Amino acid sequence: MNAKRPFWASVAGVTLMQTIALVAPSVVTGLANPVGYAVILATSLLTVWFWEGLFAALRRRKPSGHGITTALIISVLAPPDLALWQLALALSLGVVLAELVFGGRGFGFLSPAVVAASLLVFSFPEVALAPGTANVALATIPGAILLLFLGLISWRVLLSAAVGAGVLLMLSIDGLDGLAIAAAMTFCLVFLVCDPTAASATNPGRWMYGLLAGGLIILFSGGATPTTEGIVFAALLASIFAPLIDHLVVLAYAKRWKIADA
């Protein structure tokens, strides 16, 4: 008889655990600008829940509420002076195109938060995403430990992305500030690059995916300190390649098993 799957391994459980992990960085971000952050968060939640409710009604299902994690992530990444219509438009496209058209959370292969953040930067060149700070990075650590302990993010992805970024930085730039780099990367690594929906699913694939994402972060950032935009674009491109990476890993396994059986 198959063992019963723990609650946190279900779609609803993953959403709940990610929401808990996002509380601390969200609070830290909100403390810097309470009114502005509250407006951005409220707009984000209303936008994602509107589209989830509409698609649920069209499909005759109950609304899921999974978009809360997307809203929380974007609220941390959004600059405080972002126009609300820009936020709503980018979130609408991100949630619909990356998640809802595929059937909802767990059926797509891209992170809706990554897609929404990418669209913000692509569509509105004047928008600069909020840079990672030491306070947000520190607030991210407890949630990262929780997600790692529950197996909801992969330590292989986290480690290989950090290694990929670190090696490329050491090869190209002297006089690195490790604390500034960690502050800039921590939140986005945990909640964008390690997103279980977008990352590779095989263990060898996770190493390759992480190295690819880490290298792309430095290439897209173009400096000694990774930028939020660079991490977002790296996460987007790496997640597009994640299914191909897993496919190649499976083919390699199949070929090895075929040779072993011959």
Side-chain angles (χ1 to χ4, degrees):
M1 182 179 294
N2 294 330
K4 185 178 179 180
R5 186 174 64 172
F7 168 72
W8 64 78
S10 65
V11 176
V14 171
T15 298
L16 177 60
M17 294 302 108
Q18 286 180 329
T19 301
I20 293 172
L22 281 161
V23 168
S26 299
V27 169
V28 169
T29 303
L31 289 175
N33 182 15
V35 176
Y37 179 77
V39 173
I40 287 176
L41 178 58
T43 302
S44 300
L45 289 171
L46 288 173
T47 300
V48 297
W49 284 341
F50 167 78
W51 288 110
E52 285 188 349
L54 177 60
F55 273 76
L58 292 174
R59 291 167 174 160
R60 298 182 179 178
R61 300 176 183 172
K62 293 182 179 179
S64 64
H66 298 315
I68 186 173
T69 57
T70 302
L72 288 170
I73 293 171
I74 290 298
S75 297
V76 173
L77 299 181
D81 58 348
L82 180 65
L84 296 183
W85 71 269
Q86 294 176 330
L87 174 65
L89 178 60
L91 262 175
S92 297
L93 292 174
V95 170
V96 171
L97 296 179
E99 183 174 279
L100 295 177
V101 296
F102 293 102
R105 182 66 54 91
F107 292 96
F109 67 99
L110 296 174
S111 162
V114 168
V115 174
S118 300
L119 288 170
L120 266 179
V121 179
F122 281 135
S123 304
F124 310 107
E126 73 280 5
V127 172
L129 299 177
T133 65
N135 288 338
V136 172
L138 288 173
T140 301
I141 293 174
I145 294 173
L146 171 67
L147 296 177
L148 284 168
F149 176 75
L150 297 177
L152 300 182
I153 61 174
S154 170
W155 65 268
R156 294 175 177 84
V157 172
L158 194 61
L159 178 59
S160 58
V163 169
V167 169
L168 200 58
L169 276 172
M170 288 187 291
L171 291 175
S172 57
I173 299 173
D174 296 325
L176 299 175
D177 186 342
L179 291 178
I181 294 169
M185 292 180 60
T186 300
F187 178 83
C188 289
L189 277 185
V190 172
F191 293 109
L192 298 184
V193 175
C194 291
D195 187 307
T197 299
S200 291
T202 60
N203 284 338
R206 286 167 175 158
W207 288 108
M208 291 184 281
Y209 166 86
L211 289 171
L212 174 62
L216 288 173
I217 286 170
I218 305 308
L219 290 177
F220 289 149
S221 297
T225 303
T227 64
T228 304
E229 290 83 2
I231 302 173
V232 166
F233 294 148
L236 178 64
L237 189 58
S239 62
I240 291 173
F241 279 95
L244 175 60
I245 292 172
D246 282 336
H247 179 66
L248 294 176
V249 169
V250 171
L251 287 180
Y253 276 135
K255 184 175 182 180
R256 187 175 68 180
W257 291 334
K258 185 176 181 181
I259 293 173
D261 293 337

